[in-house]
């Protein structure tokens, strides 16, 4: 008997060392599991496993590149000005967690993949029992799930550094699974309005933000009706053609990185990078006598290069992850909608709203970054393309649809300010800023910092408080209109009729 | 048919759209030889080597060059709707006899 147990332990040990703690194989394993559950043919399952592993390995190449081009700049800012530069971007944020997890908490990134699995299973369970939970949406956006699992894992460890491995996974699995289900669920009503019954929810990084912006827009609208003002529409505005270049993420990232890192490198100055060249024995830095201008250009653009490599990796394994996840959730969950990428909303409504949201968000972010510099904040935020574009463009679309031009300008502008200040505060506090990145999307600059404060200061009661808050939200939503609550998902046409009748009665 | 599906970032939306396109083509009984999803930045450069491009309707004009070269470019509003995609294929192309 004891021999048998020994063998079992050995097998478990081997599995833990080579798969559980190795994120590439962990992702592959999850995909394989999903495909086997879906009864896919063996050759497809193996292909999926390989693609997922290779995808993650590609991600690691990009990730290593980012860290090595960033390091001299980070070190320079730290030693010369005692400043920390943090890029707010989901991929940089994931990178910072990968980079710092072992050094800070002695945990491995493989656990993040396990957390993702736990949270996803919990999300499915919550929707499966929607009779009681009132939840109607499943999070299917794999790339976002990886980024959020990484950041959430970090936040929980920051609050409870001594918590055991299994406990962390269970507690955060519940909280993150709830956040996914509740957050996506909040977007259903507004997204169905926007897409005229498109049949999906949003599963991204600003789901609470979308609900909040839509709610505020409705207040705007009510106010305008009361004061008898005619709302201007964005449809009447002609935008200059050059803004089209921001549609391409590589170009946009290149421009942003050149702008921010160009300024930082100019401030650090040529001699510093010559020193780096000497101290690193020519591995990085600027050759004495080399062109400083082109060195800045190359270094800044290499961020865009590594980000592209990293994203290619993510695309490769997420394709498989989503395939296996949606297969499982489609089978199990009638009466629910998939939560998908927020970019799916960009084709609805007014194309101008995307650009206007992006521009006003950028204005807010740049002003906030300027304020950080003026007030000598120890953490300087560098604007990343994804929070800038995806959050604020989405807010622009929802606001314009519900309340017209004014809301579509003002709300993304405020969001830009909040993104920078919120990210600066939370990333410095939890110690992610010194690894050069933070997720930085709207919900993670607002809702999650609040959760973190609750858990840090109230301990176990904080965990309970967060869970209760999340559980109550869908119940309140349901109370608001029980008759039509499930109808908007199952039979949108009937729901529309009911809503029209309601309006006529008012 | 070689098909490219392209969205802003190339990960979330285009993946969902790719699945919808596959569903639609299956129902229309049209064969797909190759189908890939990419970001707009990549898609703009490679669109020429495909027969068809699907992209969210607000990005259709990004593919004007490919269109001039004879690639069928189709703007899709609801990425989750295979019905909408079938309708586009019926109305905008002569693939369905």
């Amino acid at each position: 008997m004891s021999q048998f147990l020994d063998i079992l332990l050995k097998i478990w040990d081997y599995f833990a060392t080579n798969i559980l703690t190795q994120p590439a194989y962990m992702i592959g394993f999850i995909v394989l599991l999903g495909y086997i559950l879906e009864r896919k043919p063996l050759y497809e399952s193996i292909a999926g496993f390989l693609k997922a592993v290779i995808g993650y390995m590609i991600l690691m190449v990009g990730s290593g590149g980012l860290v090595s081009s960033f390091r001299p700049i980070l070190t320079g800012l730290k030693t010369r000005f005692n400043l920390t530069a943090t890029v707010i971007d989901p991929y940089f944020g994931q990178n910072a967690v990968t980079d710092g997890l072992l050094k800070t908490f002695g945990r491995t990134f493989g656990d993040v993949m396990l957390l993702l699995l736990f949270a996803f299973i919990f999300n499915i369970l919550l929707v499966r029992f929607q009779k009681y939970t009132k939840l109607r949406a499943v999070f299917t956006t794999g790339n976002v799930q990886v980024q959020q699992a990484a950041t959430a894992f970090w936040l929980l460890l920051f609050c409870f550094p001594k918590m055991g491995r299994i406990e962390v996974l269970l507690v955060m699995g519940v909280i993150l699974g709830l956040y996914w289900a509740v957050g996506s669920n909040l977007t259903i009503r507004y997204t169905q309005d926007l897409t005229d019954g498109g049949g999906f929810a949003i599963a991204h990084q600003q789901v609470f933000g979308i609900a909040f912006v839509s709610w505020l827009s409705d207040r705007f609208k009510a106010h305008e009706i009361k004061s008898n003002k005619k709302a201007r529409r964005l449809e009447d505005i002609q935008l200059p053609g050059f803004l089209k270049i921001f549609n391409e993420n590589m170009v946009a990232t290149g421009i942003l990185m050149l702008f921010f890192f160009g300024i930082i490198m100019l401030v650090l100055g040529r001699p510093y990078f010559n020193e780096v060249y000497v101290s690193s024995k020519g591995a990085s830095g600027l050759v004495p006598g080399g062109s400083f201008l082109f060195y800045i250009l190359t270094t800044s653009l290499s961020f865009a290069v590594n980000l592209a490599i990293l994203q290619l990796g993510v695309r490769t394994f997420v394709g498989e992850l989503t395939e296996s996840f949606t297969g499982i959730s489609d089978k199990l969950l009638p009466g629910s909608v998939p939560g998908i990428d927020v970019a799916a909303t960009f084709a609805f409504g007014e194309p101008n709203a995307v650009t206007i949201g992006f521009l006003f968000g950028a204005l807010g972010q740049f002003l906030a970054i300027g304020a950080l510099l003026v007030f000598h904040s120890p953490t300087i935020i560098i604007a990343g393309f994804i929070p800038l574009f995806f959050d604020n463009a989405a807010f622009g679309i929802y606001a314009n649809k519900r309340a017209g031009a004014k809301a579509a300008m003002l709300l993304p502008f405020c969001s830009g300010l909040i993104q920078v200040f919120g990210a600066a505060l939370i990333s410095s506090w939890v110690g992610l800023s010194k690894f050069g990145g933070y997720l930085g999307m709207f919900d993670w600059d607002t809702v999650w910092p609040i959760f973190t404060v609750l858990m840090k200061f109230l301990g176990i009661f904080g965990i309970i408080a967060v869970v209760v808050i999340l559980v109550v939200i869908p119940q309140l939503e349901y109370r608001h209109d029980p008759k039509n609550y499930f109808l908007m998902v199952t039979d949108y046409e009937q729901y529309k009729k009911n809503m029209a009748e309601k309006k006529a009665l008012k | 048919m070689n098909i490219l599906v392209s969205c802003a970032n190339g990960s979330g939306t285009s993946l969902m759209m790719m699945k919808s396109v596959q569903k639609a083509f299956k129902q229309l009984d049209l064969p797909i030889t190759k189908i890939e999803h990419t970001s707009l930045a990549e898609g703009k450069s490679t669109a020429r080597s495909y027969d068809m491009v699907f992209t969210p309707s607000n990005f259709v004009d990004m593919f004007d060059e490919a269109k001039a070269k004879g690639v069928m470019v189709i703007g899709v509003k609801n990425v989750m709707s295979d019905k909408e995609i079938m309708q586009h294929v019926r109305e905008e192309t002569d693939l369905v006899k």
Side-chain angles (χ1 to χ4, degrees):
Chain A
M1 188 66 207
S2 70
Q3 248 179 337
F4 176 68
L5 277 180
D6 268 353
I7 291 170
L8 269 188
L9 265 179
K10 275 211 172 72
I11 292 174
W12 170 249
D13 209 38
Y14 183 81
F15 180 75
T17 331
N18 294 304
I19 292 177
L20 272 186
T21 53
Q22 305 293 333
Y25 291 108
M26 193 61 219
I27 277 264
F29 181 74
I30 293 173
V31 167
L32 191 64
L33 205 70
Y35 281 172
I36 290 170
L37 285 176
E38 282 173 57
R39 306 231 165 74
K40 285 220 172 184
L42 185 68
Y43 61 89
E44 262 187 52
S45 309
I46 291 174
F49 168 83
L50 287 175
K51 221 174 134 182
V53 175
I54 292 167
Y56 199 91
M57 286 162 109
I58 296 173
L59 173 141
M60 291 200 284
V61 174
S63 174
L66 275 185
V67 171
S68 63
S69 27
F70 206 0
R71 191 152 289 146
I73 296 174
L74 277 179
T75 322
L77 281 172
K78 193 85 211 150
T79 48
R80 293 272 300 272
F81 307 105
N82 205 8
L83 282 177
T84 317
T86 304
V87 183
I88 45 172
D89 176 283
Y91 295 101
F92 273 92
Q94 189 182 318
N95 233 0
V97 174
T98 321
D99 197 18
L101 205 52
L102 202 62
K103 295 172 199 161
T104 314
F105 300 111
R107 317 266 174 143
T108 62
F109 204 81
D111 276 12
V112 171
M113 298 301 154
L114 271 180
L115 172 62
L116 178 118
L117 187 62
F118 278 35
F120 181 69
I121 292 170
F122 193 63
N123 184 174
I124 288 183
L125 285 174
L126 284 167
V127 177
R128 190 77 194 79
F129 297 104
Q130 64 178 188
K131 211 164 128 187
Y132 313 101
T133 61
K134 312 291 180 225
L135 291 164
R136 304 157 297 174
V138 184
F139 220 88
T140 62
T141 326
N143 51 330
V144 173
Q145 285 171 306
V146 177
Q147 293 150 4
Q148 295 192 353
T151 306
F153 190 66
W154 183 287
L155 292 180
L156 191 67
L157 282 175
F158 167 75
C159 297
F160 306 99
K162 297 219 165 28
M163 205 184 251
R165 192 171 161 198
I166 301 295
E167 288 87 343
V168 168
L169 294 175
L170 284 177
V171 170
M172 202 63 212
V174 167
I175 296 176
L176 191 61
L178 265 168
Y179 165 79
W180 285 349
V182 172
S184 294
N185 192 60
L186 270 174
T187 65
I188 292 179
R189 191 177 126 209
Y190 304 118
T191 309
Q192 288 287 67
D193 274 357
L194 177 75
T195 59
D196 195 21
F200 59 85
I202 304 304
H204 209 252
Q205 323 244 31
Q206 61 298 11
V207 283
F208 278 77
I210 285 173
F212 186 55
V213 162
S214 302
W215 182 83
L216 277 176
S217 301
D218 289 349
R219 299 285 140 324
F220 257 85
K221 183 97 186 157
H223 175 76
E224 267 172 349
I225 290 170
K226 217 181 262 166
S227 53
N228 271 328
K229 270 196 289 223
K230 182 88 185 73
R232 282 195 50 198
R233 312 288 308 163
L234 282 181
E235 283 74 355
D236 319 330
I237 298 171
Q238 188 65 41
L239 290 169
F242 75 87
L243 288 169
K244 236 169 68 172
I245 62 169
F246 286 104
N247 284 343
E248 296 187 55
N249 56 354
M250 281 181 197
V251 179
T253 303
I255 292 172
L256 278 175
M257 294 295 154
L258 199 58
F259 177 74
F260 282 103
F261 284 111
I263 292 177
I264 290 177
M265 287 165 84
L266 279 175
V267 170
L268 284 174
R270 188 191 179 104
Y272 170 75
F273 290 101
N274 286 145
E275 270 168 51
V276 172
Y277 183 81
V278 176
S279 63
S280 72
K281 298 193 175 64
S284 61
L286 176 61
V287 187
S291 155
F292 192 36
L293 173 72
F294 275 88
Y295 176 72
I296 290 178
L297 202 61
T298 310
T299 312
S300 304
L301 293 183
S302 74
F303 282 99
V305 172
N306 286 310
L307 209 56
I309 296 172
L310 199 137
Q311 285 173 338
L312 169 68
V314 172
R315 274 213 295 280
T316 309
F317 75 75
V318 160
E320 299 305 317
L321 196 66
T322 307
E323 183 71 41
S324 90
F325 274 9
T326 43
I328 296 170
S329 61
D330 285 354
K331 270 203 176 53
L332 293 171
L333 304 170
S336 72
V337 288
I340 61 172
D341 196 309
V342 73
T345 59
F346 293 178
F348 295 91
E350 166 58 30
N352 272 350
V354 173
T355 319
I356 290 283
F358 165 66
L359 284 179
F360 277 84
L363 190 68
Q365 279 206 11
F366 291 172
L367 277 178
I369 291 168
L372 289 182
L373 287 167
V374 169
F375 293 113
H376 298 292
S377 153
T379 302
I380 296 301
I381 294 291
I382 294 175
F385 171 67
I386 294 179
L388 211 53
F389 190 83
F390 283 70
D391 280 358
N392 299 321
F395 294 159
I397 283 193
Y398 282 88
N400 182 50
K401 163 86 185 167
R402 304 188 84 81
K406 205 154 85 192
M409 292 175 185
L410 191 65
L411 292 171
F413 172 75
C414 297
S415 143
L417 295 173
I418 291 169
Q419 283 171 320
V420 170
F421 292 137
L425 285 171
I426 181 94
S427 69
S428 319
W429 185 44
V430 304
L432 265 171
S433 58
K434 57 173 177 289
F435 295 102
Y438 178 68
L439 210 163
M441 306 287 280
F442 189 87
D443 280 6
W444 297 79
D445 306 325
T446 50
V447 179
W448 280 91
I450 294 170
F451 290 170
T452 312
V453 168
L454 284 174
M455 293 192 293
K456 184 80 188 170
F457 295 115
L458 301 176
I460 191 93
F461 295 105
I463 295 176
I464 295 166
V466 170
V467 170
V468 168
I469 291 169
L470 287 171
V471 168
V472 167
I473 290 170
Q475 301 294 343
L476 292 176
E477 262 190 291
Y478 174 75
R479 285 267 166 87
H480 179 69
D481 190 358
K483 196 176 119 200
N484 294 313
Y485 184 76
F486 285 109
L487 205 62
M488 71 175 81
V489 171
T490 48
D491 185 357
Y492 184 75
E493 291 307 315
Q494 185 58 46
Y495 165 79
K496 244 181 20 184
K497 273 192 200 113
N498 293 356
M499 291 322 259
E501 276 166 26
K502 243 180 148 166
K503 226 179 181 152
L505 283 176
K506 270 182 187 162
Chain B
M1 274 284 138
N2 286 339
I3 301 173
L4 176 75
V5 184
S6 197
C7 80
N9 224 13
S11 48
T13 308
S14 52
L15 184 71
M16 290 294 162
M17 205 194 287
M18 185 170 94
K19 292 178 76 138
S20 305
V21 169
Q22 283 167 324
K23 271 191 206 153
F25 273 58
K26 205 168 178 164
Q27 288 169 56
L28 293 167
D29 212 12
L30 294 168
I32 298 180
T33 3
K34 188 171 91 177
I35 183 158
E36 303 204 338
H37 67 104
T38 62
S39 65
L40 282 177
E42 233 175 304
K44 254 186 82 164
S45 330
T46 55
R48 229 176 280 176
S49 53
Y50 292 87
D51 308 322
M52 268 179 118
V53 174
F54 287 89
T55 186
S57 46
N58 53 319
F59 294 132
V60 168
D61 57 353
M62 301 285 290
F63 292 95
D64 284 349
E65 286 163 37
K67 209 168 176 167
K69 291 265 186 304
V71 180
M72 289 179 265
V73 180
I74 293 185
V76 180
K77 209 167 162 161
N78 184 354
V79 300
M80 301 297 283
S81 167
D82 43 324
K83 285 192 191 66
E84 189 199 334
I85 291 170
M86 285 198 309
Q87 199 185 340
H88 284 306
V89 173
R90 281 208 183 94
E91 286 168 8
E92 295 167 37
T93 70
D94 46 15
L95 297 173
V96 187
K97 299 286 176 291

